[in-house]
Amino acid sequence: MVMDKKAAEYWARFIKETGRDKDTRCYSVFHFELTKELAESLLELVLSGKKKATASSRNSFEIDGERLPEIGDLSVVTDFEGNPRCVIETVEVTHIPYNEMTYEICSREGEDDNLESWQRGHEKFFRNEGAEMGYSFSEDLIVVFEDFRVIYQ
């Protein structure tokens, strides 16, 4: 994966300060959501420990030609401007149709008080993302639900 200078410097500092092997790979560098306001609010939930999971459409990985996340993956989370803020480790990955999501699962995202709220927000996100990427939202869309823990900030 290619990182910009800020992410590469942050990753190097993470490797050095945590004593990890210099060949440890970074799975991705990303910010949450499609708008600055939402990206910043979700980042704060991650940094506060409330947000411990994220949901993506499997379509987005397939269209971008990216491999799906796996347990043990390490990623740099940035703010909307690309400034690195933490490193997360994937601890569980669940593939589930959108219409089979439960509150027990989605509550780990730390964003919603009930399943209906999660459904409204994520349907809007998946519709917007689909319009940009070229897929259509459907009730049986496969959600890649990734549980993580912050290991460095």
Side-chain angles (χ1 to χ4, degrees):
M1 111 158 278
V2 178
M3 289 190 230
D4 70 13
K5 183 179 178 183
K6 288 187 283 189
E9 289 172 353
Y10 189 83
W11 184 257
R13 191 166 55 249
F14 159 70
I15 293 297
K16 182 178 180 183
E17 291 179 11
T18 60
R20 292 180 185 261
D21 186 284
K22 65 179 176 54
D23 294 327
T24 301
R25 294 196 175 267
C26 180
Y27 170 65
S28 66
V29 177
F30 71 96
H31 63 76
F32 292 99
E33 266 293 347
L34 302 174
T35 66
K36 180 176 182 172
E37 181 182 348
L38 288 172
E40 300 303 323
S41 68
L42 294 181
L43 175 61
E44 289 309 311
L45 289 175
V46 170
L47 296 175
S48 73
K50 187 173 180 185
K51 181 173 179 60
K52 298 177 183 185
T54 191
S56 307
S57 71
R58 187 165 66 194
N59 293 347
S60 66
F61 292 96
E62 293 170 350
I63 290 168
D64 282 346
E66 295 179 13
R67 79 164 174 80
L68 294 166
E70 298 173 0
I71 294 171
D73 284 343
L74 303 176
S75 298
V76 175
V77 180
T78 71
D79 62 19
F80 195 75
E81 283 82 32
N83 298 302
R85 298 292 305 276
C86 67
V87 175
I88 61 172
E89 179 180 14
T90 301
V91 297
E92 185 176 343
V93 180
T94 306
H95 299 248
I96 184 170
Y98 171 87
N99 59 4
E100 293 180 22
M101 181 61 70
T102 66
Y103 185 66
E104 179 185 350
I105 296 171
C106 72
S107 65
R108 299 191 302 254
E109 280 194 291
E111 302 169 39
D112 298 285
D113 294 327
N114 56 59
L115 179 61
E116 294 75 22
S117 174
W118 182 91
Q119 289 170 327
R120 281 191 306 276
H122 284 74
E123 179 176 341
K124 180 179 178 184
F125 175 83
F126 293 139
R127 286 188 185 280
N128 290 339
E129 180 186 70
E132 286 184 16
M133 297 187 80
Y135 73 84
S136 296
F137 171 80
S138 67
E139 291 286 320
D140 61 352
L141 175 114
I142 301 298
V143 174
V144 178
F145 196 84
E146 183 178 357
D147 290 273
F148 60 80
R149 63 185 179 108
V150 174
I151 60 170
Y152 180 81
Q153 63 177 306

